Amino acid sequence: ADAKAVAEAKVKADADANADVPAGLTAFLSSDVGASVPVDQADLARTLCKNSGQSHLFPAAHWPSPADPSLATAQCRMLSQLAAVHKETPGDDGLVGYIGRAVALLEASKAGTSPLSGFVPKVPRGRTLDPINRQKEYANMEARGMPELGKCGFVLVAGGLGERLGYGGIKIGLPTEMTTETSYMRLYAETILAYQAKHALPNQKLPLCIMTSGDTNARTLELLQSNSYFGLDISQVTIVQQSEGVAALTDNNARIAADPEDPYVLLRKPHGHGDVHALMYSEGVAKKWRAAGVEWAVFFQDTNGLAFHTLPAALGVSLEGGFIMNSIAVPRQAKQAIGGIALLENATTGESKTINIEYNQLDPLLRANGEEDVKDPKTGFSPFPGNINQLLFKLGPYADVLDRTRGEMPEFVNPKYTDAAKTIFKKPTRLECMMQDFPTVLTASECNKVGFTSLPSKVCFSPVKNATADGIKMQTQGIHPGVASSGEADQHTSHVALMRSIGCAVEAGAQSIYSGVTITEDARIVLKPAFASSVADLKKNFPSPKDIKISQRSTLVVEGSGVVFESLTLDGVLVVECEEGASGGIIRDLRVKNIGWVKVAVKDSEDEIVRMRGYIVRKNETKRLLVKKDGSVVDMDADADKKEPLTRNGVTANDDVFSTPKDMDMVVDKKAILTRNIVTADEDVFATPKAEKPCSCSIM
């Protein structure tokens, strides 16, 4: 009797467990192979069917009853993937919780309900600075923030490939400009090392955390390792990897999408860069940095070569305002299609928060309250500055919030519908989160310590994120193209603008068109971070700016620290390198005139780096100086052959185009194809003027 009761109880339990579960799934789990499936995987599959509406994942065509042994391997693989997605899905209850949140958000999306309903946008608290036109105010903020540079940790959000740009590698491996061919990753590492050398305590290393994705993780490691971490100590670099993504959803019922090519594979999509906060928590990065004495966390994007020009001033603003979160922003035109930083107030709930609002939400919110996004007559810009996703956090309060929230950001959904009733998606959607939504998890008192620092985009923001064809379309609409050539041009323009702001006589640039994109061609000035990482550094290293005269066609490259330019007249190319530990070098009464380097338009190229830009840089003649440790300045061309060593940037008709470049340090960042910037036999390589003998100069 007891045995019979136990058997009956088991039958009932099995029946309850399999109620509302597809027959094919039940048949498989009851088979010999299915019996070996881990209990947690079997329970998850049943739960998703019974409670979360996911029975469609187990159709009879692919999960027959009775079970088909020939399908067992694929079926086991799918259950294993379900378990992996469940484990990696952020928030409570894994996939089950995710689906529940998705149903609610999709219902609100269909109904047109906004989470911002009831809020009124107000002008937020912050500072608008300008190092070019309001120099005194900027200098004060920069001076205030300068000592804090030695207390920063840096977070690089680098989860993207360059496919959208027409580049097969990872974006941080792209060259920022073709003058030195410094990659973004090298530029960022050199900047951190410069801050470390100038502002950190002795033996203190400023940490860098890089968030990668499944697509970029291995390649990021390879880039770092093959370049000896670009001078960074391996101990100061932490890599955190996002999951493979969250489940893609096919409809308003949040049904998980299967791969149309393989019904046993689930579709996954990125959850968004908001995951960086969760990883800073789960990987213990914020906690470790705090224990090491780091006081600030600087979040920045992967392809903005101007990202750090204004960091000292932003730190000064954070100190002045007592901000725990400071959004570095740019002036924004009224109704411009970028997010705006605004103070949202809700009179009903008493809530108040300073946060980024997407442009398609900001103006409707203002209109709902009888206002519009219009320009301020004093500035010509909207009072709501533009978000560029460069964030500055006070680390202590930031880490406290992570401990309280696990770094989980609020999610949103943005399905694209094919019908007016909003019932059919154009393609599967998913829940996403954004790192700039951090203020939504703050308490009321913490929200009062959120602000912004707005700066001209020409000195702080020029992302490279678009393919050339897309950039052309954007430029015709009056929008910055955001392509490789514009990013490079803006880096030179930024240095020119800052040098002119302190009084240097740098000739104005002229417009040129390459591959359909119009750029301003200023003098190609590359001042490495060790030489100048602030406006104060520029003033120190060019103490008599009126005696610095540079023509528009010139190129000036300064690598390393330890040299001061008292007077210089440049019409051509000058490259100044400093030995490690150099100090006391002075360049005075130096006049350089040579053929220099010239851009040559290229209509097509097998090299994707050239193809992205539409030009090469022909290096015809260069004046090179070396500042030695004792401060002496050596003319590297005095007894040397004047012919430029072969690099990717051009050869003369007599060069061996198949020889190995001598300047391998520039090459390995990109593992470049040697044919870049190489001319063909029928090109006129002598189209530029013949070299003129350099003028006499004295070097001290």
Side-chain angles (χ1 to χ4, degrees):
D2 290 341
K4 182 179 179 181
V6 170
E8 290 175 349
K10 184 178 184 307
V11 170
K12 185 177 185 305
D14 289 344
D16 291 342
N18 293 314
D20 301 320
V21 175
L25 175 59
T26 299
F28 169 72
L29 293 175
S30 301
S31 68
D32 291 340
V33 176
S36 66
V37 170
V39 173
D40 62 326
Q41 292 185 16
D43 287 346
L44 174 63
R46 292 190 184 102
T47 298
L48 289 172
C49 292
K50 296 173 67 172
N51 302 330
S52 301
Q54 303 301 317
S55 294
H56 68 284
L57 292 173
F58 309 97
H62 306 297
W63 293 77
S65 179
D68 182 345
S70 68
L71 302 176
T73 299
Q75 291 170 330
C76 285
R77 186 181 72 233
M78 179 174 173
L79 294 181
S80 178
Q81 188 190 12
L82 266 176
V85 176
H86 177 68
K87 182 179 180 180
E88 295 172 8
T89 299
D92 293 328
D93 233 358
L95 261 179
V96 176
Y98 174 81
I99 292 166
R101 298 193 301 275
V103 169
L105 287 169
L106 287 165
E107 183 179 346
S109 175
K110 181 181 178 182
T113 304
S114 170
L116 301 179
S117 179
F119 283 96
V120 179
K122 302 288 186 181
V123 178
R125 189 163 67 102
R127 273 269 200 168
T128 298
L129 300 176
D130 188 339
I132 298 168
N133 299 308
R134 295 161 58 185
Q135 296 178 28
K136 184 176 180 180
E137 180 186 18
Y138 183 88
N140 289 337
M141 282 296 112
E142 184 182 76
R144 186 167 186 172
M146 199 86 74
E148 304 303 308
L149 290 170
K151 306 171 188 176
C152 290
F154 300 86
V155 184
L156 170 57
V157 181
L161 292 171
E163 292 173 342
R164 183 176 176 183
L165 310 177
Y167 178 62
I170 55 176
K171 289 194 287 183
I172 57 173
L174 281 166
T176 60
E177 32 76 13
M178 297 300 285
T179 303
T180 65
E181 301 190 47
T182 299
S183 69
Y184 281 99
M185 188 62 245
R186 182 179 291 279
L187 174 61
Y188 299 149
E190 288 177 347
T191 303
I192 293 169
L193 289 169
Y195 290 158
Q196 184 174 294
K198 297 175 186 178
H199 304 289
L201 295 173
N203 301 318
Q204 182 181 5
K205 293 180 171 59
L206 304 185
L208 168 66
C209 176
I210 306 174
M211 184 179 79
T212 64
S213 65
D215 290 331
T216 64
N217 191 69
R219 296 193 225 188
T220 300
L221 280 169
E222 180 186 6
L223 180 66
L224 291 169
Q225 292 168 354
S226 63
N227 289 278
S228 301
Y229 281 72
F230 299 99
L232 295 167
D233 192 287
I234 190 172
S235 66
Q236 69 189 110
V237 180
T238 301
I239 294 180
V240 295
Q241 184 180 346
Q242 279 184 291
S243 73
E244 294 299 317
V246 292
L249 309 171
T250 62
D251 57 29
N252 286 327
N253 294 318
R255 298 201 308 168
I256 296 173
D259 189 331
E261 302 297 323
D262 187 342
Y264 301 102
V265 173
L266 307 179
L267 284 184
R268 303 178 73 171
K269 291 195 171 189
H271 191 231
H273 49 57
D275 283 348
V276 67
H277 299 301
L279 289 167
M280 289 288 287
Y281 169 76
S282 64
E283 299 297 323
V285 178
K287 184 177 182 180
K288 177 183 176 182
W289 286 5
R290 188 179 193 178
V294 176
E295 296 186 17
W296 303 94
V298 183
F299 288 69
F300 63 104
Q301 301 293 307
D302 48 14
T303 54
N304 177 19
L306 312 183
F308 295 116
H309 284 191
T310 55
L311 177 58
L315 284 163
V317 172
S318 285
L319 284 173
E320 178 190 60
F323 294 153
I324 64 175
M325 177 179 171
N326 183 356
S327 293
I328 299 174
V330 295
R332 175 180 163 276
Q333 297 290 342
K335 299 181 177 64
Q336 186 178 348
I338 63 171
I341 309 296
L343 170 63
L344 294 182
E345 295 181 344
N346 191 313
T348 303
T349 65
E351 291 179 84
S352 174
K353 53 189 175 184
T354 297
I355 194 169
N356 171 68
I357 307 176
E358 293 306 313
Y359 71 94
N360 56 354
Q361 296 176 309
L362 178 57
D363 200 48
L365 267 181
L366 288 166
R367 288 177 180 276
N369 291 277
E371 300 181 35
E372 286 188 54
D373 185 16
V374 296
K375 68 179 182 181
D376 183 333
K378 294 181 180 179
T379 66
F381 293 102
S382 166
F384 304 101
N387 172 56
I388 61 173
N389 274 348
Q390 187 162 333
L391 309 175
L392 175 58
F393 290 94
K394 185 68 175 173
L395 185 63
Y398 173 76
D400 289 340
V401 175
L402 295 189
D403 288 340
R404 187 176 72 236
T405 65
R406 298 180 298 189
E408 294 171 0
M409 295 296 101
E411 295 167 311
F412 67 95
V413 69
N414 187 26
K416 306 300 182 189
Y417 303 100
T418 63
D419 61 327
K422 297 183 178 181
T423 58
I424 303 173
F425 297 170
K426 289 183 179 179
K427 58 183 179 180
T429 189
R430 85 284 197 183
L431 300 191
E432 303 175 64
C433 63
M434 300 187 293
M435 68 180 189
Q436 65 265 33
D437 282 347
F438 193 84
T440 60
V441 300
L442 299 180
T443 64
S445 60
E446 291 167 342
C447 283
N448 292 329
K449 300 176 182 178
V450 177
F452 73 88
T453 304
S454 180
L455 297 137
S457 58
K458 71 187 300 179
V459 296
C460 73
F461 185 58
S462 180
V464 175
K465 58 183 181 179
N466 297 317
T468 301
D470 295 329
I472 293 171
K473 293 177 183 177
M474 296 176 71
Q475 199 166 55
T476 59
Q477 299 169 15
I479 302 171
H480 190 281
V483 297
S485 59
S486 63
E488 174 172 353
D490 289 346
Q491 286 194 71
H492 298 316
T493 295
S494 176
H495 278 131
V496 167
L498 292 172
M499 287 185 68
R500 294 179 74 177
S501 76
I502 67 169
C504 297
V506 186
E507 192 176 10
Q511 288 193 331
S512 297
I513 300 176
Y514 295 99
S515 295
V517 177
T518 301
I519 61 172
T520 298
E521 291 207 75
D522 279 297
R524 288 186 289 274
I525 295 179
V526 179
L527 308 177
K528 289 301 190 79
F531 175 75
S533 53
S534 64
V535 175
D537 283 349
L538 287 176
K539 292 177 179 178
K540 180 184 72 174
N541 292 329
F542 296 105
S544 182
K546 64 181 177 56
D547 295 320
I548 305 298
K549 301 172 183 178
I550 302 174
S551 69
Q552 180 268 335
R553 74 177 191 89
S554 293
T555 298
L556 173 64
V557 178
V558 186
E559 300 205 36
S561 61
V563 63
V564 169
F565 291 76
E566 289 192 351
S567 50
L568 167 67
T569 299
L570 175 61
D571 185 28
V573 175
L574 173 64
V575 175
V576 180
E577 299 178 19
C578 302
E579 290 185 342
E580 186 174 353
S583 64
I586 298 175
I587 293 179
R588 179 184 299 146
D589 298 329
L590 175 61
R591 298 176 64 85
V592 176
K593 187 176 181 67
N594 54 37
I595 297 176
W597 302 350
V598 60
K599 280 184 182 176
V600 179
V602 176
K603 292 182 179 179
D604 195 16
S605 172
E606 293 182 0
D607 188 323
E608 54 195 1
I609 298 297
V610 174
R611 193 165 59 245
M612 291 166 64
R613 286 171 161 78
Y615 56 79
I616 59 174
V617 178
R618 176 85 29 75
K619 295 184 176 180
N620 295 306
E621 187 178 7
T622 307
K623 184 70 173 176
R624 295 183 183 276
L625 304 178
L626 176 66
V627 181
K628 302 182 75 65
K629 288 184 179 181
D630 62 3
S632 61
V633 182
V634 178
D635 185 345
M636 299 299 289
D637 298 321
D639 300 310
D641 182 358
K642 295 299 179 66
K643 187 175 71 173
E644 183 74 13
L646 173 64
T647 71
R648 291 174 297 166
N649 285 311
V651 297
T652 66
N654 296 322
D655 279 324
D656 175 6
V657 299
F658 300 106
S659 64
T660 303
K662 295 178 182 178
D663 194 0
M664 286 303 295
D665 185 56
M666 291 182 180
V667 174
V668 291
D669 286 8
K670 283 76 62 181
K671 296 185 178 177
I673 300 170
L674 295 183
T675 54
R676 178 175 310 152
N677 305 318
I678 300 264
V679 299
T680 60
D682 58 355
E683 283 187 286
D684 180 7
V685 298
F686 302 107
T688 51
K690 293 183 178 179
E692 296 183 39
K693 188 175 181 180
C695 298
S696 60
C697 62
S698 65
I699 306 170
M700 298 186 63

